């Protein structure tokens, strides 16, 4: 009986790259609950766009559309929070900019951007504790950190 080895299980496959934005949606989920629903919808739409790109259904946007997405996200941020420097506004800006970073990842070989997104994901996990320090949130954060570490290992093996 042939059992798959650990190397074959952790070997990079296109499925990991397709699950990449889905994993980050669930990583940002506790923060998306606390921010404006319109901004949460915008973040979800950009992540769905990137997921469709990883499936090969659509292309990534060009420079003009990416610039427009940045302007739209800043517009949403200013409409919601004004020019107020608060914890919630900063976390919303961080989530928006991390989501827009996905639009720069061209393919699964773009290691620099992928690693930057993964390491910023660890920071997202830490910021969950600014809103709540519940046991279940700690468990959720631990599971997310484990999944991000597995992502890091999988993309590093490529």
């Amino acid at each position: 009986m042939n059992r798959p080895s650990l190397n074959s299980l952790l070997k990079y496959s296109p499925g990991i790259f397709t699950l990449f934005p889905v994993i980050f949606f669930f990583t940002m989920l506790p923060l998306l609950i606390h921010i404006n629903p319109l901004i949460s919808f915008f973040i979800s739409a950009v992540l769905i766009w990137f997921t469709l790109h990883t499936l090969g259904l659509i292309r990534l946007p060009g420079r003009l559309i990416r610039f427009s997405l940045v302007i739209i996200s800043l517009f949403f941020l200013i409409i919601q929070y004004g020019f107020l420097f608060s914890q919630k506004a900063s976390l919303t800006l961080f989530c928006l900019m991390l989501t827009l970073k996905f639009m720069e990842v061209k393919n699964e070989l773009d290691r620099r951007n992928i690693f930057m997104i993964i390491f910023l994901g660890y920071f997202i996990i830490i910021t969950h504790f600014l809103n709540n320090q519940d046991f279940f949130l700690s468990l959720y954060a631990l599971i997310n950190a484990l999944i991000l570490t597995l992502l890091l290992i999988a993309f590093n093996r490529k």
Side-chain angles (χ1 to χ4, degrees):
M1 179 181 217
N2 271 343
R3 290 183 52 200
S5 67
L6 180 63
N7 285 337
S8 66
L9 289 176
L10 288 177
K11 197 171 190 177
Y12 177 77
S13 68
I16 295 172
F17 188 61
T18 304
L19 288 176
F20 191 48
V22 176
I23 290 169
F24 268 86
F25 175 77
F26 285 109
T27 302
M28 286 191 279
L29 190 60
L31 293 177
L32 293 178
I33 293 170
H34 292 288
I35 62 178
N36 185 357
L38 182 65
I39 296 173
S40 297
F41 177 76
F42 179 77
I43 289 171
S44 301
V46 171
L47 288 175
I48 288 171
W49 188 341
F50 185 74
T51 304
L52 293 175
H53 164 69
T54 60
L55 293 172
L57 299 175
I58 59 174
R59 295 178 46 139
L60 283 178
R63 286 185 182 178
L64 184 62
I65 295 176
R66 281 189 304 201
F67 181 72
S68 300
L69 289 173
V70 170
I71 297 299
I72 290 169
S73 63
L74 289 176
F75 175 74
F76 285 155
L77 193 69
I78 291 172
I79 291 298
Q80 179 65 30
Y81 300 106
F83 292 102
L84 177 70
F85 292 112
S86 68
Q87 172 187 339
K88 201 169 189 180
S90 301
L91 289 177
T92 304
L93 177 67
F94 183 62
C95 287
L96 282 168
M97 293 301 127
L98 178 63
T99 304
L100 291 176
K101 187 67 177 167
F102 276 95
M103 291 290 126
E104 295 182 11
V105 179
K106 293 175 181 52
N107 57 23
E108 63 270 5
L109 300 176
D110 192 2
R111 294 170 53 114
R112 182 182 65 92
N113 286 329
I114 289 173
F115 287 152
M116 182 180 292
I117 290 172
I118 291 173
F119 287 129
L120 289 174
Y122 286 116
F123 189 74
I124 286 280
I125 291 172
I126 293 168
T127 60
H128 293 331
F129 296 108
L130 294 175
N131 294 323
N132 192 0
Q133 293 85 27
D134 192 21
F135 172 74
F136 293 110
L137 182 70
S138 301
L139 186 63
Y140 186 77
L142 180 67
I143 291 169
N144 277 327
L146 180 66
I147 291 171
L148 285 181
T149 304
L150 291 174
L151 264 180
L152 193 61
I153 291 169
F155 280 115
N156 202 21
R157 287 184 172 259
K158 181 68 179 165

